[in-house]
Amino acid sequence: MTLAGEARSTTRGPLDDAIEQLAEVCQILGYDEGTEQLLAAPRREVTVSIPLRRDDGSVEVLTGHRVQHNLSRGPAKGGLRFSPHVDLDEVRALAMWMTWKCALMDLPYGGAKGGVTIDPSRYSSAELERVTRRYTSEILPLIGPTRDIPAPDIGTDENTMAWMMDTYSVANGHTVLGAVTGKPVSLGGSHGRATATSLGVVHVALEALRHLRLDPVGSTAAVQGFGKVGRGAARYLAENGVQVLATSDEHGAVWQPDGLDISALETHVDRAGTVAGFSGGTVIDNDTLLALDVDLLVPAAVEGVLHAGNAGAVRAQLVVEGANGPTTTEADRILQERGVLVVPDILANAGGVVVSYFEWVQANQAYWWSQAEVEARLTERMTDAWQHVLTEADERRLQLRAAATCLAVRRVAEAHRQRGLYP
Ligand code: GLU
């Protein structure tokens, strides 16, 4: 089973969804075509070749991208993805969503994303280090603490960020801790960054369950994906009394109708590297997981997993998007017609970039906060943003995605307007 491979029922891609979401919101806000074009167009994009010497001495040439979608509210911000599915259009979509996410959370950033088309599981750590350093060198003129600040995403981690920070620092002749976020805590990373996205997803999920008058204690959930986002989300949901009945990764899915023992599952994953083979649950397939009779569904893997072909089968009342772009525009319409509440990615998974912002602030000031301080500030930001989006949705009679995107797009358009067009 591959999560990404079976993601879509059509040839449309995430960029089509991102552009349609923006078009809908520009219409709601009454923006003219020029403004919509300004908001849609990436400000800068670069595609680079990454020649890699493999451990066996052979040479392979990989391709990487960095797209800065918008810089109106501050330096660009966004992750770096290593995945075989990376292409320029995907990176463009992810960069646009970063612009809206940062604006929605009122962070002083624009949006960016990077990607290298590579399956990291097929390369040694030394090879991945060479890929990261060469990619960083190639995009060097574009990045930096006041220009564009990368962070982890699918297939990258704190080691990748340490290599990026080091490559940037060596090129500049001094250590620049604010050049990337998601670094190891021992190297200018922030306490609480590694768990921030998952914690943020759960803060919002608990608010949304209560909004639907469901008591989180005893409610049920399925979490698709058991990586950086899904694993923590499953753990925090379980800690808050939600029964997580099923979860999955690219190798398989497991289901336990009385609720999975998440800490036993984590022990299994640490040993086996996958949820597959976990003895505390029954094997199911990915489509069955998405259609389980649960209160809450958390897609926390890749884009486009909920599409026209399977959205009609979703039985959850609430979908909280841990991944970026997991619901296609067609699926969104189907879920809306069926009365399913969808909490959009730019709100639900914003905890990661919020704590990236905290990390950047701490690095720039060389003054470090405790885990408790980081988590308290994260909780406040997530709950405020949830309330804000809910109010906007009520006032304008919108779905949560349109409301969140309206709030974000308005802030970006306002920054454009105030700065004026140059020359
Ligand atoms: N990759 C994460 C995201 O999609 C985090 C980005 C960041 O921290 O800059 O939101």
Side-chain angles (χ1 to χ4, degrees), residues 58-324:
S58 63
V59 172
E60 204 174 281
V61 181
L62 304 165
T63 303
H65 313 278
R66 184 80 187 168
V67 174
Q68 296 176 344
H69 169 256
N70 194 288
L71 305 172
S72 296
R73 290 172 41 89
K77 187 84 191 80
L80 167 65
R81 177 172 293 197
F82 282 1
S83 150
H85 306 288
V86 162
D87 64 26
L88 183 54
D89 275 353
E90 183 192 47
V91 180
R92 285 173 173 150
L94 292 163
M96 191 189 294
W97 286 326
M98 282 309 303
T99 301
W100 311 144
K101 198 186 300 187
C102 292
L104 175 65
M105 303 311 289
D106 210 6
L107 309 179
Y109 290 139
K113 202 79 172 196
V116 176
T117 314
I118 183 174
D119 177 355
S121 69
R122 295 184 44 247
Y123 292 80
S124 70
S125 172
E127 289 170 334
L128 293 174
E129 177 174 352
R130 292 198 285 279
V131 170
T132 304
R133 288 186 183 278
R134 182 62 187 250
Y135 169 78
T136 307
S137 305
E138 294 294 337
I139 63 164
L140 215 50
L142 290 185
I143 60 172
T146 57
R147 294 167 185 269
D148 179 354
I149 306 116
D153 196 80
I154 293 172
T156 57
D157 58 17
E158 59 174 32
N159 297 321
T160 325
M161 295 305 116
W163 296 326
M164 285 194 99
M165 191 280 285
D166 182 68
T167 308
Y168 182 86
S169 297
V170 168
N172 282 274
H174 61 107
T175 298
V176 187
L177 294 180
V180 299
T181 59
K183 302 180 297 296
V185 172
S186 54
L187 196 64
S190 176
H191 289 293
R193 174 62 184 87
T195 49
T197 312
S198 309
L199 259 183
V201 166
V202 173
H203 283 316
V204 169
L206 297 177
E207 293 284 352
L209 282 168
R210 291 188 199 106
H211 174 72
L212 292 175
R213 305 196 187 293
L214 289 167
D215 185 353
V217 176
S219 62
T220 55
V223 178
Q224 189 221 20
F226 207 69
K228 279 200 276 286
V229 182
R231 178 172 170 160
R235 187 194 314 137
Y236 298 129
L237 283 171
E239 282 176 12
N240 281 280
V242 178
Q243 282 186 297
V244 180
L245 304 193
T247 189
S248 64
D249 62 22
E250 56 197 330
H251 304 291
V254 284
W255 170 63
Q256 166 54 256
D258 299 325
L260 291 163
D261 178 342
I262 299 297
S263 68
L265 179 58
E266 290 200 77
T267 308
H268 168 83
V269 169
D270 287 339
R271 207 178 42 239
T274 166
V275 302
F278 177 57
S279 57
T282 311
V283 176
I284 53 171
D285 64 30
N286 190 48
D287 273 336
T288 308
L289 180 143
L290 296 172
L292 279 178
D293 187 9
V294 286
D295 300 310
L296 162 67
L297 175 62
V298 182
V302 291
E303 304 95 66
V305 291
L306 290 172
H307 48 71
N310 63 9
V314 168
R315 282 191 281 170
Q317 297 180 54
L318 172 64
V319 172
V320 175
E321 296 185 333
N324 290 313

